[in-house]
Amino acid sequence: MNSFLSKWLSISILNLSFVAALGLILRYKIAYSLPFLDQKYILHSHSHFAFSGWITQTLMILMIIYLSKALGKEINSRYRWLLYTNLISSYGMMISFIIQGYGLYSISFSTLNIFVFYAFAFYFWLDLNRIKDKSTSILWFKAALLFGVISSLGAFNLAYMMANKMSNQNVYLTSIYFFLHFQYNGWFLFAGLGLLNDKLEFITGERKKLYRAFQLFCFACIPAYFLSILWMEFISTIYILLIAAVIAQLAAWIIVLKVYYKNRSLIRQKITYYGKILLILSALAFSIKLILQSGSIHTELSHLSYGFRPIIIGYLHLVLLGVTSIFLLGYIVSFELIRINKSLIRGIFIFVAGVIINELLLMIQGVSALSYTAIPYINEMLLAAAVILFSGILIMLISRFAYMKNNIPERLPTRPD
């Protein structure tokens, strides 16, 4: 593996530790008190850096790895400055949001971060057109880039409202959910499935089926946005489109699962043991996400869920941690993009345990909130889950930088002893 890109993946793990540390601070402030830190400022820092410094940065790196295999390692120098600039703008957002919340510096770094993504999307799109083997992955990546650009419209509208102190609640919420939807279900999902499709298509040769899955997911992405704002009134045509979008997503995911199941013995020979487990966990989380999303078509259930913060937080963390973060770690481990050792694997699965515990606690808190029942020590238990999450990432980080310091080659089998 190219040492330049493997070092960037180590920086991604460092960034994940910052995301977890900010989440730990948020949980501590809820359970106890840190009066010198503003809760909303930390929340903005946590969420913005999770999107840009951890997920987007890592997806960029993995997509560059994909591109370098198709066009040669010299392509790396084309994206070096974009990775640095994305990193600088992400750190700038993390720090400035902690200090001032939405203000001159945080909005400036946020704007810079968006324009860095625009530049990445432009160059990557051009380079995709240079690839001779027109696999379905190219379509996944192009759709991911397009949806990522579309999501920025919500971010720009939010920044405009903040700068001008506008307080229209409906416009504010629709802008937030617009950004979140086209990040989660657009940029993150399509980029991740593009990476996965590349491997599945190469291993199984099931190009037609995977292309059909792409078509269905692509059709569903835009109308599925309205699932996020069902508390608003829509004409009946929108509901028909929503039902069609939900069915399309479920059908597309079933196609992907069938491709895996049909070729499972062959796929298992090509990926590592621990990577397989992580990818299965991510797939399970995504399946749960689709089922929950399907249930939200029922307007009464939708109104009920959006009225309780623990349910919203649980759903967002299911996607961000359970689906996306575990997938990224699983993909990296599956194809040995960094050196894998027992310490790193231990850290990853401690992190996964923290994710599962966190989701279970949020689910309990959300269900109990429906009946207005208080769960004793729930905030302390969620703090403990945050500690487990952070501890796992810290072990991963120590493992990575220990090997980088000793300059050990980036290769080690990951089969269980």
Side-chain angles (χ1 to χ4, degrees), residues 287-305:
S287 300
I288 295 171
K289 181 254 186 192
L290 288 180
I291 292 170
L292 293 174
Q293 186 174 279
S294 301
S296 68
I297 290 181
H298 195 289
T299 53
E300 289 185 6
L301 287 176
S302 178
H303 292 162
L304 194 62
S305 62

Side-chain angles (χ1 to χ4, degrees), residues 87-98:
L87 193 64
I88 292 168
S89 61
S90 297
Y91 284 140
M93 282 193 291
M94 180 177 68
I95 296 169
S96 58
F97 272 115
I98 292 174

Side-chain angles (χ1 to χ4, degrees), residues 61-326:
I61 296 164
L62 296 178
M63 288 166 68
I64 293 169
I65 292 174
Y66 163 85
L67 207 59
S68 66
K69 289 181 179 178
L71 299 177
K73 291 183 179 180
E74 62 275 6
I75 203 73
N76 295 341
S77 59
R78 184 184 185 101
Y79 294 92
R80 185 189 302 262
W81 69 274
L82 283 170
L83 290 175
Y84 277 116
T85 312
N86 185 74
L87 193 64
I88 292 168
S89 61
S90 297
Y91 284 140
M93 282 193 291
M94 180 177 68
I95 296 169
S96 58
F97 272 115
I98 292 174
I99 296 171
Q100 65 173 181
Y102 273 98
L104 175 62
Y105 295 111
S106 58
I107 291 176
S108 297
F109 280 118
S110 299
T111 304
L112 173 61
N113 188 260
I114 290 172
F115 282 111
V116 169
F117 183 81
Y118 286 173
F120 175 82
F122 176 76
Y123 284 117
F124 202 87
W125 190 292
L126 292 180
D127 285 328
L128 286 174
N129 291 336
R130 296 170 53 200
I131 298 176
K132 294 180 180 180
D133 180 22
K134 302 300 182 182
S135 70
T136 312
S137 293
I138 293 176
L139 297 175
W140 285 103
F141 289 137
K142 285 186 173 182
L145 297 171
L146 183 60
F147 289 133
V149 170
I150 291 173
S151 74
S152 66
L153 299 177
F156 276 129
N157 195 53
L158 280 173
Y160 176 80
M161 291 182 69
M162 292 291 182
N164 292 277
K165 302 186 184 304
M166 298 172 63
S167 57
N168 187 312
Q169 187 71 2
N170 282 343
V171 176
Y172 176 77
L173 289 174
T174 53
S175 297
I176 287 179
Y177 289 126
F178 185 93
F179 173 76
L180 289 175
H181 172 76
F182 285 104
Q183 284 280 300
Y184 281 138
N185 300 305
W187 161 232
F188 296 168
L189 177 63
F190 280 77
L193 286 176
L195 293 167
L196 186 63
N197 180 93
D198 173 53
K199 302 300 183 181
L200 287 178
E201 194 171 293
F202 175 76
I203 295 171
T204 68
E206 301 271 15
R207 178 172 293 191
K208 288 184 178 179
K209 290 182 180 179
L210 293 170
Y211 175 65
R212 193 176 304 123
F214 164 78
Q215 288 178 309
L216 291 168
F217 270 121
C218 201
F219 158 76
C221 188
I222 292 177
Y225 161 64
F226 293 99
L227 286 169
S228 303
I229 54 172
L230 279 176
W231 38 268
M232 298 183 68
E233 296 295 330
F234 300 121
I235 58 175
S236 58
T237 306
I238 297 295
Y239 286 105
I240 294 172
L241 281 174
L242 282 176
I243 294 171
V246 167
I247 293 172
Q249 286 184 326
L250 290 171
W253 185 231
I254 289 171
I255 290 172
V256 175
L257 292 178
K258 281 186 174 180
V259 169
Y260 168 77
Y261 185 77
K262 178 183 176 182
N263 301 277
R264 61 192 182 281
S265 59
L266 185 60
I267 294 171
R268 288 172 183 173
Q269 296 174 19
K270 302 296 183 180
I271 65 176
T272 64
Y273 174 79
Y274 297 112
K276 178 196 70 175
I277 294 174
L278 291 169
L279 291 179
I280 289 174
L281 287 172
S282 176
L284 178 61
F286 186 65
S287 300
I288 295 171
K289 181 254 186 192
L290 288 180
I291 292 170
L292 293 174
Q293 186 174 279
S294 301
S296 68
I297 290 181
H298 195 289
T299 53
E300 289 185 6
L301 287 176
S302 178
H303 292 162
L304 194 62
S305 62
Y306 282 112
F308 294 92
R309 184 177 176 83
I311 295 177
I312 297 174
I313 294 175
Y315 179 79
L316 293 177
H317 280 80
L318 172 67
V319 180
L320 187 63
L321 292 176
V323 178
T324 310
S325 294
I326 292 178

